[in-house]
Amino acid sequence: MSDPSRDSRIDWKAAEQSPEFRDLIAARRRFVVPGTIFFLSWYFGFILLAGYAKDFMASSVYEGLTVGYCLALTQFVMVAVLGLMYLKRAQNVYDPLAAKAAQVALDAGREQGRRS
Amino acid sequence: MSVLAASVNVEALIIFAFVLGLTLAITYWASKRMTGSDSFFAAGRSITAFQNGLAISGDYLSAASFLGIAGLIFIFGFDGFLYSVGFLVAFLTVMFLLAERMRNAGKYTIADVLSFRLNERPARTAAAAGTLTVAAFYLIAQMVGAGVLIQALVGFDFSVAVLLTGVFMLCYVIFGGMLATTWVQIIKACLLMVGITIMSLFVLGKVGFNPVELFNRAERNTTPESTFSLGPGTFLSSPIDTVSLGIALVLGTAGLPHILIRFFTVPDGKAARSSVVVAMFIIGGFYILTTFIGFGARAFLGQEGVEAAGTGGNLAAPNLAQFLGGGEGTFGGDLFLAVIAAVAFATILAVVAGLVLSASGAVAHDIWTSIVRKGKPQSDKEEVTVARIAAAAIGAIAIAIAIIGGEGLNVSFMVGLAFAVAASANFPALLLALTWRRFNTAGAVTGVAFGVISSIFLVIISPKVWPGADAEGGLLGFYDLANPGIISIPLGFFGCWLGTMLGKDETTSERSFDELYVRSETGLGAEGSVLAPTQVPDRAPATV
């Protein structure tokens, strides 16, 4: 087989338990879990208000601009901000950690390959 | 039979011919580069992150997004915008939970990810069934929409319009595969963004570039009998239905096969992730501009324009373009109408091509290779040939259903159903396969079955479908939801859990969760990745 991840007989179980991989998972979770909770809460807060607080959403902030429209715009801002934050963190934090975890798994695999 | 309806818009015909010529040239170019499965299904994984971001936008923004949402805002005001918000926020779900993992774990179809560590044949069958259900409903909806629009905008007969759409869609997919489809989607995204930006500038120019003035004028143009409101509740009157729709929108995108397979066209997980951010900005900008079109139509066409805008206000945007260009009968008016009509046509073509491609992948890569051929190694050539035949067959069936069902088919019902199935069947199974160690084959099959069946059943018994659009109350007195998401999505997850608990433990299977987990998170061993420069052969046939 030409696939190096098979050639080197990666021990996936060991790779999954390696401290490097655990670091990656922990780092990603620290952002993705609160991020997901936040965006779902903000989004469903908006949806619930649109469903159950129609008068509030229809009230005017400034002339024809309603609370509902402003809150809808905050959703757009949220998507942009969370998207860029994730992108930045992924490039600066997760990618190096992922590369490290992958390298450790490959090295361990080669080591094993030589011994057997 | 006359091919043409009463009046044919000549300007529209010329612009249509130009757009179609361009897409055919791309298809020819792409067909010369076709080397095998990798290019047919994944464009050789050569698409850059920025290109893929544009292509995702082109794949995602259907005529329902462009004409449909502008029309809803025109007729109902705020409630139309609610859809835009859901369609956009959904990309956070895609980005946080699926984009990179899909790219790292899959090859051509979402079934690749689902069957990675599960018992291959049942898992693939379940995933292919989910894909085909979503693609079928979405495709027929788009085809009917295309027929109605082209008939209204260009003057072709409904069946001719459907046939024309179908033939071009099949051309792109069959001869040009993913590469042609991608570039058709990129061109469409550019045309759509340029078109809607120019229209918005025209609209804003008329109100001194003051959006608030636009809202005021829109509100002044409401009459006691109109449904337009700057607040919610005119279209979505039942709060629980609004919430149910909201759930299906925000989770449904993460289960749409034609969107998810786009991540296989980029070189790695990093590009997949960046492409989502590019798409977020394009799609977000698009939806903001759509509000200007919708409110602009209300401000300038007024209540008198409602009837002219047709069912659901779908023609509000083209009618507004005509008004902005100088009005009916003027050269500017006809030209602007023709440009927007061509943009709408390109919009539909790009979406249906993506859908047919995802469905043909499910047939050729999942059902044929793994189930009919029982996973024995196939030549690339056979897989592509089967995919082409499948595309032709799927296209022909969709064309036939759209023509036979005609304009009577309820487009929004089918789009709603597609999103409900995607959110209730595909999304739970995919997410749990990637993150839940205990998850097993029985869980995947039960989850997909629960999601598909409950979505379809609940939509059928929803009051607007059965007894019918004007009925008071539903078939079952206590059930009156138009959107099934709030029930069917939890049922999908429950099915996954139930099946897993009842099924046998697979935590020691040949390809383990550990392998999928490490691979999906790090990209180690991913298709075409730097760490795996050569092809990973498909898994050997499961020993029965």
Side-chain angles (χ1 to χ4, degrees):
Chain A
M1 293 284 161
S2 52
D3 175 9
S5 65
R6 298 206 162 197
D7 268 356
S8 51
R9 281 170 238 172
I10 288 179
D11 182 345
W12 295 102
K13 193 172 165 58
E16 200 264 344
Q17 285 163 354
S18 73
E20 288 78 8
F21 184 72
R22 290 285 116 202
D23 281 352
L24 168 69
I25 297 300
R28 211 192 281 270
R29 270 194 194 147
R30 266 198 301 278
F31 181 79
V32 167
V33 171
T36 305
I37 293 171
F38 175 79
F39 93 75
L40 286 179
S41 316
W42 195 248
Y43 171 74
F44 281 112
F46 169 76
I47 294 289
L48 285 169
L49 283 175
Y52 291 93
K54 296 191 173 96
D55 291 339
F56 169 68
M57 295 294 262
S59 58
S60 177
V61 176
Y62 171 75
E63 297 190 14
L65 190 63
T66 57
V67 173
Y69 197 86
C70 291
L71 285 178
L73 288 181
T74 65
Q75 305 282 329
F76 284 71
V77 174
M78 172 186 77
V79 169
V81 170
L82 283 181
L84 288 177
M85 273 172 77
Y86 179 79
L87 196 61
K88 201 163 174 226
R89 288 185 69 86
Q91 279 161 359
N92 295 340
V93 183
Y94 314 145
D95 286 350
L97 285 176
K100 222 158 98 184
Q103 200 52 54
V104 166
L106 277 176
D107 290 347
R110 265 186 219 114
E111 194 77 9
Q112 192 117 32
R114 264 200 297 277
R115 248 182 283 144
S116 59
Chain B
M1 186 188 83
S2 141
V3 169
L4 303 171
S7 63
V8 175
N9 184 331
V10 180
E11 288 90 345
L13 270 183
I14 295 169
I15 300 174
F16 268 48
F18 174 74
V19 172
L20 289 177
L22 186 62
T23 56
L24 286 185
I26 287 169
T27 307
Y28 178 76
W29 165 80
S31 70
K32 297 273 156 212
R33 285 157 179 259
M34 185 78 70
T35 49
S37 293
D38 245 27
S39 40
F40 187 85
F41 294 113
R45 308 188 201 283
S46 61
I47 306 296
T48 67
F50 184 73
Q51 290 166 350
N52 197 42
L54 273 169
I56 291 172
S57 317
D59 206 9
Y60 191 60
L61 298 171
S62 64
S65 282
F66 177 33
L67 304 175
I69 289 179
L72 277 181
I73 294 177
F74 167 58
I75 295 181
F76 298 101
F78 183 81
D79 279 357
F81 198 28
L82 214 63
Y83 279 86
S84 310
V85 171
F87 283 141
L88 176 68
V89 175
F91 275 90
L92 285 175
T93 317
V94 173
M95 177 164 196
F96 284 171
L97 303 178
L98 289 181
E100 291 160 74
R101 289 168 171 163
M102 288 292 299
R103 174 60 189 87
N104 287 338
K107 192 174 178 194
Y108 301 141
T109 64
I110 61 177
D112 288 337
V113 179
L114 205 58
S115 64
F116 191 96
R117 67 174 170 121
L118 304 177
N119 192 349
E120 177 136 18
R121 290 175 68 193
R124 255 188 212 282
T125 314
T131 296
L132 289 172
T133 312
V134 174
F137 286 121
Y138 214 125
L139 185 58
I140 293 166
Q142 296 290 331
M143 298 291 280
V144 173
V148 173
L149 282 171
I150 296 168
Q151 184 176 29
L153 296 173
V154 195
F156 286 152
D157 198 57
F158 176 81
S159 338
V160 177
V162 171
L163 199 63
L164 196 69
T165 312
V167 167
F168 276 95
M169 149 188 105
L170 288 180
C171 252
Y172 307 148
V173 173
I174 291 175
F175 299 113
M178 182 52 111
L179 192 58
T181 303
T182 301
W183 281 98
V184 168
Q185 288 166 346
I186 291 174
I187 289 178
K188 165 268 183 84
C190 296
L191 285 176
L192 187 60
M193 290 311 288
V194 170
I196 199 165
T197 305
I198 293 174
M199 252 183 107
S200 302
L201 289 176
F202 268 74
V203 166
L204 289 174
K206 284 201 179 288
V207 292
F209 290 94
N210 179 359
V212 174
E213 171 62 18
L214 184 65
F215 298 148
N216 279 324
R217 284 220 201 167
E219 192 161 38
R220 275 206 298 279
N221 241 334
T222 51
T223 52
E225 68 268 21
S226 77
T227 47
F228 182 85
S229 166
L230 292 176
T234 47
F235 181 61
L236 303 160
S237 51
S238 152
I240 188 79
D241 235 338
T242 306
V243 175
S244 188
L245 173 72
I247 299 177
L249 293 182
V250 81
L251 301 181
T253 304
L256 291 178
H258 65 299
I259 300 298
L260 295 176
I261 61 165
R262 287 233 49 90
F263 296 126
F264 300 132
T265 66
V266 293
D268 55 22
K270 294 170 198 169
R273 159 220 303 159
S274 306
S275 67
V276 187
V277 177
V278 173
M280 276 173 179
F281 276 84
I282 296 171
I283 292 168
F286 171 84
Y287 282 132
I288 297 223
L289 296 178
T290 320
T291 64
F292 297 145
I293 307 299
F295 287 122
R298 171 54 63 170
F300 303 125
L301 304 178
Q303 185 64 23
E304 309 86 68
V306 170
E307 205 178 321
T311 322
N314 277 334
L315 299 179
N319 288 348
L320 177 66
Q322 194 177 40
F323 166 83
L324 294 171
E328 200 178 339
T330 65
F331 175 73
D334 283 352
L335 184 69
F336 211 163
L337 174 69
V339 169
I340 294 305
V343 168
F345 188 42
T347 289
I348 293 169
L349 283 176
V351 175
V352 290
L355 284 165
V356 168
L357 191 67
S358 70
S360 75
V363 171
H365 184 64
D366 300 332
I367 294 178
W368 184 264
T369 309
S370 305
I371 296 160
V372 177
R373 290 292 196 154
K374 305 200 165 78
K376 290 191 193 81
Q378 297 300 297
S379 67
D380 259 22
K381 204 168 165 228
E382 177 171 328
E383 200 170 47
V384 173
T385 307
V386 174
R388 287 179 161 143
I389 295 170
I394 294 158
I397 294 168
I399 292 170
I401 294 178
I403 290 178
I404 294 166
E407 299 165 50
L409 285 174
N410 185 333
V411 172
S412 57
F413 144 71
M414 280 182 293
V415 171
L417 197 48
F419 262 82
V421 173
S424 320
N426 298 354
F427 174 66
L430 266 180
L431 182 66
L432 294 177
L434 285 163
T435 55
W436 190 26
R437 179 177 296 275
R438 178 79 168 75
F439 194 54
N440 59 21
T441 312
V445 174
T446 325
V448 170
F450 271 41
V452 171
I453 293 167
S454 67
S455 304
I456 294 179
F457 176 75
L458 290 174
V459 167
I460 287 175
I461 65 161
S462 72
K464 285 214 158 52
V465 176
W466 194 4
D470 302 319
E472 292 286 325
L475 180 68
L476 306 173
F478 59 90
Y479 184 82
D480 61 355
L481 279 181
N483 302 289
I486 200 167
I487 297 173
S488 64
I489 296 168
L491 270 178
F493 276 104
F494 173 74
C496 289
W497 174 83
L498 187 70
T500 301
M501 289 304 144
L502 298 177
K504 71 176 177 21
D505 184 38
E506 287 171 9
T507 41
T508 52
S509 63
E510 180 210 358
R511 252 179 150 178
S512 64
F513 174 72
D514 289 326
E515 181 174 353
L516 174 66
Y517 197 35
V518 173
R519 179 161 158 169
S520 68
E521 297 283 344
T522 64
L524 183 62
E527 284 297 325
S529 81
V530 189
L531 291 167
T534 46
Q535 284 294 300
V536 183
D538 262 345
R539 181 156 36 141
T543 41
V544 184

